[in-house]
Amino acid sequence: MTEASTHHIRFTLNGSEVSADVKANDTLLNVLREQLGYTGTKRGCETGECGACTVLVDGKAVNACLILAPKVDGRAIQTIEGLAKGAELHPLQKAFIEEGALQCGFCGPGMLMSAKALLDEIPNPTEDQVRRGISGNICRCTGYAKIVKAIMKASRQMARVGGEGA
Amino acid sequence: MKKRGRGMACMYYPLGFTSYPNPSAAFAKYNPDGSATVLTGAQDIGQGSGTVLAQIAADTLGIPYDRISLIYGDTQAVPMDAGSVASRVTYIAGNAVKKACEQAKSILLDVAADMLGVLPHGLDVADGWVYLKDFPEKRVAIADVAKTAEVGRGRPAQGHGTYNPATTLLDKETGHGKPYEAFVYAAQVAEVEVDTETGEVEVLKIYAVHDCGKAINPMMVEGQIEGGIAMGIGYGLTENLVIEKGHVLNPQLANYIVPTALDVPPIESAIVEIPEPKGPFGAKGIGEPSLLPTAPAILNAIYDAVGVRIRDLPATPEKILAELEKLEKEKAK
Amino acid sequence: MSPVIGQRLPRHDAVLQVTGRSLYGEDIKMPGMLYCKVRRAGIPHARLIEVDTSAAEAIPGVMGVVTAKDVPFNAFGFTHLDQPVMAQDKIRYEGDAIAGVAATSLEVADQAAKAIKIKYEELPAVFDPLEAMKPDAPKVHKDNIPTHFTVVHGDIEKGFAEADKIIEERYTTQFVEHVHIEPHAQLAYYDPTGRLTVWTTVQRPFLVASDLGKVLKMPLSKIRVLTPCIGGGFGGKNEMTTEAIVALLSMKTGRPVKLVFTREEEFTATTVRHPYVMFYKTGVKMDGTITAREVKIISDAGAYVSWGESTLTKALVHAAGPYRIPNVRIEAYLVYTNNNIGGAMRGFGVPQAGYAYECHTDSVARAIGMDPMEFRMKNCVVSGDTLPTGQTLQNATLDEILKKLSSMSGWKVAGGDGR
Ligand code: FES
Ligand code: FES
C-alpha cells in the first residue's frame, strides 16, 4: 500500500453514517475538518500535545491529530458537534457556560470531549480525578479552576437526573 | 525531605500605553424596536471584552443586556481602537462605549421629554423604559421613544464617543512625567513544598488579592486572575524557550512545559473593589496584572522553605539542587 | 431596575463556544483558496546574496512565490522601522521570512518552500546582550543599542549613605513563548477591483491594517482587516506577522490565500517575552525604611525592536516596585542580538522586573530580619505618594490589598497592619 493510495472508509460520526476517501497518511483531524467540514474539533499542535483535537473513538478520548484516518473505518466517532442533543445542551456544556469555564474557548471542544469521556467512565469523579482526566488538554487562558468546577457540577447534575430517571 | 514554605509578592500596573496616545472609539444606537447596536473597535481575544463592553452599554442605555448587539472585528466598519493590549479595554474602550451610549441616551431623553411633557434632565432610563426620576410611574417604553425619534422626529437616538487617557511623555534625561492615568495593584501569597532530594517544587496554594476598580463582571475577573496565576506558575517554574546560538532547541509543547490542570493548585482570590472615579462605572482592568506577582511569590516561598534564592528564571529542579548543594558546602565550612 | 454591572454573566458567545460553532482563524475558508507556506532563514546571521525560487516555481501546483523583491516598502515596526516583511540583504535571526509560496495544497506549498535555495554568506553572530553592548561586537543593525532610558529621583548617593545595610543582587530571566492554543491564521483576498480583505487572528486589527497600507503602499480605504474569534493572544498577536506575504501572494495569483502557523513556527518565528538581565541595589535602615534603590536593566531585543522599546519603558517606570523610596536611579538598555524577536507579552516587561524587585525586596527584608509581609506593609505606596517618575498616585489601593491578603492567607503580622 503506497502513501498516496486512497482508502474508502465508513464510520459513524455523531450517530450518522458517513464515508470518505482518504489517503493512508491522512489524519482523522484533517478528514473531519477539511473533508467533512466539522471544524469544531480544533488544531493546536498536530503532535498530540495540546488536546485541542480531542474526539471520542468508540467512547475513548483520543487526539484526532494522531489517528490515521484509515484506522477509524467501522468505528464510532463523537465530536463536539454531537455533544448536544439538538437544541438541548449536554449538562457539561451548560455547566461550562454557567461557571464561565472558557475564555477564548479554543481548548473548549477538546476539553469538553475529554470531560465527557471521563464522566462516562467515572460518573462521580473526585477533583483530583477530574484534573487527571483533563491533564492532556492545555488551556492557556483559565488556569483550569472554573473548568474543574464546571465538570464537577455537571457530574452532580447528571447523577441527579440519572437518579431521578432510574 | 519535603519542606514547606510561603512567600509573597506585590505589584502595581498601569492601564494603557506608556505616554503615547491610545484612544478607543465607539458608536451606539437605539434601534426603533428598543434594542441597541453598539460598534467598538476593541477586539475580544477571549478575555471577555465583548461581554463586559455590552454590560457597560446595557446599563448606560437602560435596556436589557440580551437586547444589546455588540459588533467588532472589521476595520472598515467599526470605529478605531488602539487594540486589546495593555490591560486597556475595560477602562479605555469601556469609557468610549459609555460616552457613545450617553450621547444616544441624551437624544432619547430629549425626545421622551417632549413626548411626556417634562424636562429631559428629570428623566432616566432603565429596563427598557424612560421614566421620571421623581415619579417612576410616569414612563414610556424606550422602543416607543426610539421609534418616535427616528421615524417621527427624524432624529435617530445614536451617538459616538472616544476616550484617550491623559498622559505626558517622559523627560529624556530624568525620566519624569505622567505616563499613565490609572494603576491597579495586587498581592499574592504562594505556599509551596520543595523536595530537597529532587529539587521539585509543588505549588500547594495561591492566595490572590487584586484591585480592578469596580468589577463589571466578577466571574470574568476571577477567570483572569486564575489564568494569570497559571501563566505565572509556568513563568516561575517550567517555561523556558531554550535558544542556543540562535537556534530554538525545544519548539514543541512536549519539552516547552506549560502548566496543566495538575500543576495549578487551588486558588483563593479576592477582589478589592475600590471604584476608580475616571473608569466606566468605576472599573479599571485586570488582564495582565493577574500574572505578575505569582512567579516572585513562588520563588520567595522556595527561599522560605529551603533557604535558596533562585536568581535566574525558571526555578528548575536542577537549579534548586545546585543552590542547595552550595548552601550545604557553605554550612560545612 | 436590573442593572447588569457587577453581575456574573457568561460570555456573550458561550453557547457557540461549547457547541464548537465559534469560527476561529483556521476555520475561515474561501472557494478557490490556495495554501501558503513561508520559508524561514534557518540561520541566525548572514548576508543574503540570492533567493532562487525557480525550483519551487517548477513544482506542479505552485501558483505563486514572493520574496523581498515583491514588497513595495519592506520595513515596519511600531517605534523603529527596522523589520522587513521578508529578509532583503541580511538575515538577522532564524525565523526571518525569506519567501512565501502559494500552492493548491498544503503539501505542495510545503515541498515548494523547502525547494527554495538561499545563497548566503554567514556572519559572526551575537546572542548575549551583554556581549552585544561591547563596541567590537558583531553588529545586528547599525548600532546594537537602539534605545536606552534613565529615571532619576532624589539623590541616590545620599540615599545609600543613609542606609544601615546595602543589598546587591543580579537577576536574569528566560525566553518565554505565549502559547495561545490557537496558532496564528491568516486568509487574504485581493479582488479584481483592487480591494484587499484580510482575515487575521490579531489583537490590534487597526494596527495591522495601517502596517499593511505602509508595506503594500495601498490606501487604507482599500484594506479591510477582519477578525474571526481569537483563540487567545497574551501579546503574541499584537502585530503584523506574515499578513503582507499572504496578501502579496493573493495579488500575484488572483486567488484567496491562506496561511496557518504550525506550533513549531509559533516557537521559532513569532515574538517571545524578552529575557532581562537586572542589577538591583537597595539601601535600607534597620527599622525597615528603604533609603535608596538603584536598578539597571538590559533587555535582549532579539533581531528587531518590535515592542522592545515600549516594554522596556513600562518595565522602567515600575522597576523600583510599588514602594515609597526617596532616592531612585533606574537605567535601562535595549540591545539587539541574533535571537528571536522579543515582543509584547502579558505584563509587557513588568513581570521580568517584578520577579526581580519582589525577590530582591524579600532579600532586603530578610537582611534586616524583618517579616516580608510587614516590610511591604511598611513601605508600600499609598495615595499621595510620588513615583520615581514624579507622578503623584491617586486612589492607590495596595495598603488595603495587603491587609486583606494578610488576613485571607493567615499571614499574621506583628503590630497589626504595620503602618
Ligand atoms: S492538535 Fe492534536 S493534540 Fe494538539
Ligand atoms: S479558554 Fe483559551 S485556551 Fe482554554
Side-chain angles (χ1 to χ4, degrees):
Chain A
M1 181 194 333
T2 64
E3 273 245 321
S5 73
T6 55
H7 302 239
H8 187 71
I9 59 167
R10 288 167 171 282
F11 55 96
T12 51
L13 178 54
N14 300 327
S16 310
E17 278 293 321
V18 292
S19 65
D21 291 315
V22 303
K23 292 199 290 288
N25 60 348
D26 265 341
T27 61
L28 173 59
L29 179 61
N30 269 344
V31 171
L32 287 173
R33 288 185 53 89
E34 309 302 325
Q35 279 198 40
L36 301 173
Y38 280 66
T39 56
T41 305
K42 297 298 169 210
R43 183 198 320 266
C45 69
E46 287 207 279
T47 50
E49 284 142 12
C50 75
C53 65
T54 307
V55 299
L56 305 188
V57 176
D58 292 341
K60 289 252 170 314
V62 299
N63 291 325
C65 70
L66 293 183
I67 296 250
L68 291 175
K71 287 253 154 62
V72 302
D73 191 26
R75 325 266 298 255
I77 313 286
Q78 264 183 291
T79 68
I80 188 68
E81 287 92 346
L83 189 54
K85 294 273 158 292
E88 177 63 18
L89 295 180
H90 187 277
L92 274 165
Q93 291 170 312
K94 282 190 206 156
F96 266 55
I97 295 172
E98 288 158 13
E99 293 300 320
L102 296 178
Q103 290 178 25
C104 81
F106 198 78
C107 68
M111 198 66 88
L112 280 156
M113 296 318 283
S114 286
K116 163 104 169 62
L118 172 77
L119 295 190
D120 285 348
E121 203 195 332
I122 314 171
N124 292 302
T126 62
E127 181 177 328
D128 197 57
Q129 286 172 318
V130 169
R131 286 185 182 269
R132 249 164 243 291
I134 57 166
S135 62
N137 295 75
I138 299 177
C139 173
R140 192 56 156 168
C141 301
T142 66
Y144 309 99
K146 298 201 185 309
I147 293 176
V148 172
K149 218 171 149 190
I151 297 172
M152 301 288 284
K153 182 175 182 175
S155 84
R156 285 193 304 272
Q157 221 107 48
M158 287 161 77
R160 217 171 7 246
V161 172
E164 279 164 13
Chain B
M1 207 187 349
K2 292 193 174 181
K3 290 186 167 179
R4 290 192 172 194
R6 69 176 178 189
M8 68 168 299
C10 305
M11 75 102 223
Y12 70 134
Y13 198 79
L15 309 174
F17 294 8
T18 309
S19 301
Y20 291 110
N22 58 123
S24 285
F27 170 86
K29 80 171 205 287
Y30 288 100
N31 297 318
D33 64 351
S35 66
T37 304
V38 178
L39 311 186
T40 169
Q43 176 65 34
D44 195 314
I45 54 171
Q47 87 283 37
S49 64
T51 308
V52 164
L53 295 177
Q55 285 179 266
I56 290 172
D59 279 12
T60 312
L61 294 169
I63 63 177
Y65 170 81
D66 58 11
R67 303 208 72 196
I68 303 277
S69 166
L70 187 89
I71 306 288
Y72 53 85
D74 182 343
T75 58
Q76 288 283 3
V78 297
M80 78 74 57
D81 190 276
S84 294
V85 297
S87 304
R88 58 182 293 286
V89 176
T90 300
Y91 183 76
I92 299 173
N95 264 322
V97 163
K98 185 152 184 280
K99 282 178 148 188
C101 293
E102 277 163 356
Q103 202 179 80
K105 176 178 154 185
S106 84
I107 295 172
L108 187 89
L109 293 191
D110 256 8
V111 174
D114 207 34
M115 289 165 74
L116 293 169
V118 296
L119 290 172
H121 65 255
L123 295 174
D124 208 346
V125 290
D127 251 354
W129 297 92
V130 182
Y131 64 95
L132 196 57
K133 278 188 269 191
D134 296 340
F135 181 54
E137 275 171 43
K138 187 152 179 95
R139 61 180 198 176
V140 52
I142 285 177
D144 291 339
V145 186
K147 188 169 167 203
T148 305
E150 190 169 316
V151 183
R153 309 284 154 89
R155 252 189 104 192
Q158 60 182 41
H160 62 88
T162 63
Y163 192 81
N164 182 48
T167 58
T168 74
L169 291 176
L170 297 173
D171 181 86
K172 257 280 156 206
E173 314 270 277
T174 64
H176 284 208
K178 183 199 170 189
Y180 311 108
E181 192 173 87
F183 295 88
V184 294
Y185 302 79
Q188 294 178 5
V189 166
E191 291 173 357
V192 305
E193 188 169 83
V194 184
D195 186 329
T196 55
E197 317 274 274
T198 63
E200 261 158 47
V201 178
E202 192 187 344
V203 184
L204 304 171
K205 173 111 191 197
I206 301 275
Y207 299 92
V209 183
H210 285 255
D211 137 44
C212 61
K214 169 75 190 169
I216 304 273
N217 187 323
M219 184 162 82
M220 288 188 172
V221 173
E222 284 164 20
Q224 287 293 312
I225 293 173
E226 290 154 1
I229 286 169
M231 203 176 260
I233 290 170
Y235 189 46
L237 295 178
T238 59
E239 291 182 41
N240 187 12
L241 192 66
V242 184
I243 306 182
E244 234 175 68
K245 294 205 178 318
H247 186 63
V248 178
L249 298 185
N250 56 340
Q252 312 90 13
L253 290 167
N255 42 22
Y256 180 94
I257 309 299
V258 169
T260 69
L262 294 171
D263 305 310
V264 183
I267 293 165
E268 196 175 322
S269 66
I271 309 167
V272 168
E273 262 185 300
I274 300 176
E276 160 63 43
K278 290 187 288 294
F281 295 95
K284 292 200 276 189
I286 188 70
E288 296 166 280
S290 51
L291 126 101
L292 280 161
T294 310
I298 291 170
L299 272 93
N300 288 337
I302 295 172
Y303 182 89
D304 190 55
V306 294
V308 301
R309 189 160 294 292
I310 305 301
R311 297 191 179 85
D312 177 50
L313 283 185
T316 56
E318 298 76 43
K319 288 182 201 169
I320 291 171
L321 284 181
E323 288 298 317
L324 280 171
E325 214 169 290
K326 261 198 245 166
L327 197 67
E328 283 304 309
K329 278 192 192 140
E330 272 166 39
K331 273 192 198 152
K333 265 193 225 158
Chain C
M1 283 264 290
S2 58
V4 287
I5 299 288
Q7 282 190 24
R8 304 172 69 87
L9 297 185
R11 280 185 64 89
H12 56 295
D13 55 357
V15 173
L16 296 178
Q17 286 186 336
V18 299
T19 51
R21 306 290 172 187
S22 289
L23 293 179
Y24 296 86
E26 199 191 344
D27 304 333
I28 310 292
K29 289 177 188 165
M30 274 181 85
M33 176 175 97
L34 300 174
Y35 297 82
C36 171
K37 264 284 166 187
V38 171
R39 172 62 188 267
R40 308 278 175 182
I43 40 159
H45 203 194
R47 197 167 67 80
L48 183 54
I49 298 165
E50 203 201 325
V51 180
D52 179 2
T53 60
S54 53
E57 274 158 310
I59 297 173
V62 171
M63 308 302 283
V65 180
V66 293
T67 65
K69 285 198 281 261
D70 300 287
V71 187
F73 181 75
N74 196 11
F76 69 103
F78 189 64
T79 56
H80 294 63
L81 269 185
D82 63 350
Q83 186 172 350
V85 171
M86 286 174 275
Q88 187 111 33
D89 314 308
K90 219 182 154 185
I91 289 163
R92 294 189 180 85
Y93 91 110
E94 273 204 351
D96 261 335
I98 302 291
V101 180
T104 46
S105 79
L106 197 54
E107 291 70 36
V108 174
D110 200 26
Q111 192 193 342
K114 288 185 180 126
I116 290 167
K117 291 192 191 68
I118 307 173
K119 227 186 170 177
Y120 60 87
E121 173 197 323
E122 215 160 329
L123 295 170
V126 61
F127 307 109
D128 176 348
L130 298 178
E131 287 298 316
M133 288 175 91
K134 295 180 179 161
D136 55 346
K139 293 277 175 278
V140 182
H141 294 263
K142 247 202 236 111
D143 181 354
N144 278 353
I145 305 179
T147 189
H148 70 98
F149 301 98
T150 317
V151 173
V152 205
H153 176 58
D155 181 344
I156 192 82
E157 301 307 329
K158 185 172 141 274
F160 282 122
E162 284 166 10
D164 295 328
K165 280 205 174 173
I166 293 175
I167 294 88
E168 273 188 84
E169 289 178 298
R170 178 188 195 262
Y171 285 92
T172 50
T173 65
Q174 77 277 43
F175 291 99
V176 178
E177 164 58 25
H178 308 82
V179 196
H180 29 72
I181 305 302
E182 178 199 33
H184 288 77
Q186 302 152 1
L187 171 60
Y189 180 51
Y190 184 77
D191 75 23
T193 68
R195 288 174 59 101
L196 173 67
T197 303
V198 181
W199 288 93
T200 179
T201 53
V202 73
Q203 297 169 243
R204 301 186 63 177
F206 289 89
L207 178 67
V208 169
S210 91
D211 278 344
L212 279 174
K214 282 180 209 153
V215 301
L216 300 175
K217 290 197 173 166
M218 274 178 68
L220 283 177
S221 56
K222 288 193 183 293
I223 298 174
R224 183 178 188 199
V225 173
L226 298 169
T227 42
C229 292
I230 293 182
F234 315 112
K237 294 172 177 170
N238 263 29
E239 67 268 292
M240 183 167 83
T241 50
T242 47
E243 286 88 346
I245 298 175
V246 183
L248 287 165
L249 284 167
S250 179
M251 289 175 183
K252 203 161 201 174
T253 60
R255 289 172 60 173
V257 178
K258 178 168 170 178
L259 169 63
V260 182
F261 283 29
T262 62
R263 183 54 58 183
E264 181 163 343
E265 278 178 291
E266 292 289 337
F267 280 111
T268 55
T270 69
T271 58
V272 292
R273 187 190 290 289
H274 298 86
Y276 279 10
V277 179
M278 295 166 283
F279 300 89
Y280 272 79
K281 179 176 169 187
T282 299
V284 64
K285 288 190 178 173
M286 291 311 289
D287 71 355
T289 310
I290 305 176
T291 60
R293 181 166 275 180
E294 192 172 5
V295 185
K296 187 170 165 185
I297 301 176
I298 291 125
S299 167
D300 181 352
Y304 305 103
V305 167
S306 176
W307 305 99
E309 175 170 321
S310 32
T311 47
L312 192 58
T313 49
K314 208 161 246 182
L316 173 89
V317 174
H318 297 87
Y323 303 111
R324 206 175 328 100
I325 311 177
N327 307 296
V328 175
R329 186 183 163 83
I330 307 164
E331 263 179 86
Y333 297 86
L334 185 68
V335 186
Y336 283 127
T337 63
N338 297 109
N339 290 324
N340 292 33
I341 310 166
M345 185 172 177
R346 197 177 199 172
F348 223 63
V350 189
Q352 294 94 313
Y355 152 63
Y357 76 61
E358 276 307 77
C359 288
H360 178 66
T361 295
D362 233 57
S363 294
V364 173
R366 289 179 189 269
I368 58 163
M370 195 180 259
D371 176 83
M373 176 80 79
E374 187 184 352
F375 186 74
R376 287 177 174 88
M377 283 178 168
K378 181 177 165 66
N379 287 294
C380 81
V381 288
V382 296
S383 296
D385 281 345
T386 301
L387 297 179
T389 46
Q391 179 170 0
T392 305
L393 289 174
Q394 286 159 12
N395 311 308
T397 56
L398 190 52
D399 48 348
E400 291 295 323
I401 285 169
L402 288 174
K403 272 187 232 168
K404 174 98 194 159
L405 183 66
S406 160
S407 70
M408 197 167 108
S409 67
W411 188 324
K412 299 271 183 308
V413 168
D417 69 359
R419 275 194 163 280

